[in-house]
Amino acid sequence: MIIYNVTVNIDESIHDEWLIWIKEHIPKVLGTGKFEKATLSQVLVEEDMGGVTYSVQYRSYSREALDAYYREDADRLRNEGLKKFADKMLAFRTELQIVDEYTVNFK
């Protein structure tokens, strides 16, 4: 499984508006059928550039599913945010390959 990670720094002047928007945007990305689930997290590190930083991690079903997302959906969905928030947000994307997962159950 591959995690498609989008890290976004949001200018504080649009933070509340962006947070509402991203919570509507994530279901649209999941609606493409290329991802199993998504996690929205706030990055808890002080940024020199200011603003508030978030990470959205989308778990793809497969490499093929992620490639299909890039071909069929990514430009359209990315442009929604760019048009709305333009220079008030900075985003970068990374791909993470899951090697192993572990859980602990204490009884």
Side-chain angles (χ1 to χ4, degrees):
M1 180 177 302
I2 296 179
I3 295 174
Y4 174 57
N5 181 74
V6 182
T7 304
V8 186
N9 180 269
I10 305 300
D11 188 279
E12 291 179 23
S13 68
I14 59 147
H15 174 262
D16 294 343
E17 181 184 0
W18 180 86
L19 195 55
I20 291 167
W21 175 83
I22 196 67
K23 290 179 180 183
E24 295 169 354
H25 178 76
I26 291 169
K28 290 180 183 179
V29 175
L30 293 176
T32 66
K34 277 77 171 197
F35 302 97
E36 175 184 317
K37 69 179 186 175
T39 302
L40 172 63
S41 304
Q42 184 174 347
V43 177
L44 299 178
V45 174
E46 291 289 325
E47 293 291 339
D48 291 338
M49 66 182 146
V52 182
T53 302
Y54 287 89
S55 168
V56 185
Q57 293 190 339
Y58 298 96
R59 286 186 172 234
S60 68
Y61 289 108
S62 64
R63 170 87 254 170
E64 294 77 21
L66 183 56
D67 289 342
Y69 171 76
Y70 290 144
R71 281 191 315 272
E72 300 166 9
D73 308 294
D75 287 342
R76 173 179 48 85
L77 290 166
R78 285 179 189 172
N79 286 335
E80 289 179 7
L82 289 173
K83 286 179 186 175
K84 189 163 183 72
F85 301 107
D87 62 341
K88 299 288 185 181
M89 69 177 220
L90 174 64
F92 68 91
R93 293 151 182 87
T94 53
E95 295 178 4
L96 308 169
Q97 173 71 52
I98 296 175
V99 175
D100 268 322
E101 292 186 290
Y102 303 87
T103 60
V104 176
N105 293 321
F106 294 103
K107 294 183 181 187

